[in-house]
Amino acid sequence: MKSSVCELCGRSPVETTVHHLIPREEGGSYGPTANLCRTCHKQIHAIYTNNELAVRLDTLERLRQDEKISKYIKWIRKQPAETQLRVRKSNERKRRR
Ligand SMILES: [Zn+2]
Ligand SMILES: [Zn+2]
């Protein structure tokens, strides 16, 4: 597990993953990459298709300026860095008496 700074939301320390700015499926295997925290990475792929990323959002600058992700960045910046690692368990069942 590697701790560093997320290039999108700027939080640290977070565990980062490598994002291909042009997805590999779109031919970006040897293209530029960015280190993103898992939350940001998941978010990007949830919002955009690989094709959108390759055509329109192939730099961090462009990503940040996109309305959908900039809203998300504003929100995530307020979240503590460890949020993504917290697992909440609620085993509150069997309440019969
Ligand atoms: Zn992030
Ligand atoms: Zn990615």
Side-chain angles (χ1 to χ4, degrees):
M1 190 155 111
K2 198 175 79 172
S3 287
S4 54
V5 185
C6 171
E7 290 185 58
L8 189 64
C9 67
R11 294 183 309 154
S12 81
V14 288
E15 189 187 340
T16 56
T17 53
V18 175
H19 169 64
H20 286 81
L21 288 162
I22 298 170
R24 278 171 292 190
E25 292 82 350
E26 300 287 333
S29 293
Y30 304 103
T33 57
N35 295 314
L36 305 181
C37 71
R38 287 172 173 222
T39 320
C40 287
H41 204 172
K42 239 200 272 173
Q43 191 68 19
I44 287 176
H45 288 287
I47 297 178
Y48 309 109
T49 62
N50 283 338
N51 187 258
E52 271 183 294
L53 290 170
V55 172
R56 200 157 72 74
L57 304 161
D58 59 339
T59 66
L60 275 176
E61 214 23 52
R62 287 185 185 171
L63 265 176
R64 279 197 208 100
Q65 279 165 11
D66 194 75
E67 198 191 341
K68 283 185 238 169
I69 209 78
S70 72
K71 270 188 198 156
Y72 155 81
I73 294 172
K74 268 186 204 151
W75 172 80
I76 195 73
R77 275 190 176 149
K78 293 183 205 145
Q79 312 304 313
E82 73 272 23
T83 298
Q84 54 174 334
L85 302 172
R86 201 189 306 157
V87 177
R88 201 175 276 176
K89 274 187 187 169
S90 62
N91 288 331
E92 227 191 306
R93 52 202 188 122
K94 279 197 179 174
R95 260 196 156 174
R96 296 177 288 186
R97 22 175 183 158

